[in-house]
Amino acid sequence: MARLVLKFGGTSVADLARIRTVAEIVTQVWQEGHELAVVLSAMAGETNRLVTLARDAAPLYDVREYDTIVSTGEQVTVGLLAILLQNQGVPARSWLGWQLPLRTNLAHGNASIVEIDRESIEARFASERQVAVVAGFQGLASDSRITTLGRGGSDTSAVALAAALRAERCDIYTDVDGIYTTDPRIVPRARKLDAISHEEMLELASLGAKVLQTRSVSLAMRYGVPLRVVSTFDPQGPGTRVVPEEEI
Ligand code: ADP
Ligand code: ASP
Ligand code: MG
């Protein structure tokens, strides 16, 4: 038995049919006997829609209200996945950032994670083998308000949660089957990597490879969290491991 964090991005939860696929993957991994926290993004396109709404409301807006608005996409997906898992007989509960809480600094709109309270999740792992379905991209600041972690921030939520829970690994499920030498959607002859070091991945991410948010890679490096990038649409595929240099 292992403790794992699984993260599913926007295209993986784009509609109810895809969230059903996610529920099947989670159920299968849960049936292998693991303790699971699942971090979700909003449905593909939803965060962009919410950002546009905030900007259209007023050209100069209060960024604390921006966070209130743009954090809602993840609230919908975690609730839906929790329902689907429960329906398949898997104990599951959704968690928003403020409920854990996942504490951040006061940098609304682009906050950094300060601390995650892992007690509630661990208690339910122990008592019910409950799956924690956690909203990515959001946290709670010391002004008692919701914060968001910058675009693509669900990756960082997942890695930080994996570090806090001392998880064995953080699996990033996305719409490509691994990490390539360069963006495979732009360069079709890009080569897929079996493994890449945290250091090299940090460089790729800083150069704009949005497959992992740069901050998530820094955190994985600092806390030694092994990552695996794999496709939601081919979950048994080998994907790409992101690990300390000496493990390649
Ligand atoms: P998610 O919604 O799952 O977080 P993202 O769209 O944020 O997914 O990231 C996945 C995308 O990253 C891929 O569709 C791909 O176009 C892009 N990408 C950029 N650079 C790379 C790379 N080096 N390897 C793999 N994917 C990359
Ligand atoms: N939903 C957020 C975004 O679109 C966070 C994420 O997907 O990682 O930026
Ligand atoms: Mg992303």
Side-chain angles (χ1 to χ4, degrees):
M1 187 214 46
R3 180 175 288 186
L4 302 174
V5 173
L6 317 182
K7 181 259 172 179
F8 294 86
T11 41
S12 308
V13 294
D15 53 35
L16 202 47
R18 292 201 177 170
I19 303 177
R20 282 188 206 283
T21 303
V22 170
E24 280 162 22
I25 295 172
V26 172
T27 300
Q28 200 170 341
V29 181
W30 182 82
Q31 282 170 344
E32 289 165 13
H34 305 305
E35 290 178 333
L36 297 183
V38 181
V39 175
L40 298 186
S41 294
M43 293 181 180
E46 177 64 2
T47 309
N48 285 346
R49 188 182 76 84
L50 296 166
V51 168
T52 303
L53 277 177
R55 288 188 181 150
D56 286 352
L60 278 180
Y61 49 80
D62 181 335
V63 73
R64 286 165 294 194
E65 302 309 339
Y66 165 95
D67 279 345
T68 301
I69 297 161
V70 305
S71 59
T72 57
E74 277 73 9
Q75 180 160 344
V76 174
T77 52
V78 292
L80 289 172
L81 181 62
I83 288 178
L84 292 174
L85 287 170
Q86 290 167 2
N87 213 34
Q88 291 185 178
V90 177
R93 182 60 65 207
S94 65
W95 294 91
L96 301 178
W98 63 268
Q99 290 173 309
L100 287 174
L102 180 153
R103 294 190 189 279
T104 73
N105 64 9
L106 284 160
H108 281 279
N110 193 24
S112 297
I113 299 172
V114 173
E115 186 183 33
I116 302 179
D117 193 332
R118 59 197 168 101
E119 273 173 29
S120 2
I121 290 183
E122 283 189 329
R124 286 151 191 251
F125 279 167
S127 65
E128 308 168 44
R129 287 205 62 232
Q130 193 177 83
V131 176
V133 186
V134 178
F137 184 52
Q138 56 175 261
L140 175 70
S142 58
D143 59 1
S144 301
R145 305 208 60 92
I146 295 168
T147 48
T148 59
L149 308 178
R151 298 305 307 272
S154 297
D155 297 327
T156 301
S157 309
V159 174
L161 189 60
L165 290 170
R166 290 142 178 84
E168 198 158 295
R169 201 175 66 229
C170 178
D171 288 343
I172 306 283
Y173 286 81
T174 184
D175 60 358
V176 276
D177 62 356
I179 295 164
Y180 285 72
T181 45
T182 184
D183 190 339
R185 294 195 197 287
I186 297 172
V187 182
R189 275 168 33 186
R191 191 168 51 83
K192 186 164 88 73
L193 305 166
D194 292 333
I196 182 171
S197 68
H198 286 123
E199 286 82 356
E200 281 174 321
M201 188 60 227
L202 188 58
E203 197 173 321
L204 261 188
S206 335
L207 291 172
K210 72 163 182 168
V211 60
L212 289 173
Q213 198 198 35
T214 307
R215 263 189 204 161
S216 72
V217 186
S218 306
L219 269 185
M221 192 158 99
R222 180 166 357 135
Y223 292 99
V225 180
L227 312 178
R228 196 168 60 103
V229 174
V230 64
S231 168
T232 304
F233 312 107
D234 178 22
Q236 302 300 336
T240 299
R241 295 181 303 120
V242 185
V243 290
E245 178 81 59
E246 58 274 16
E247 288 176 30
I248 288 188

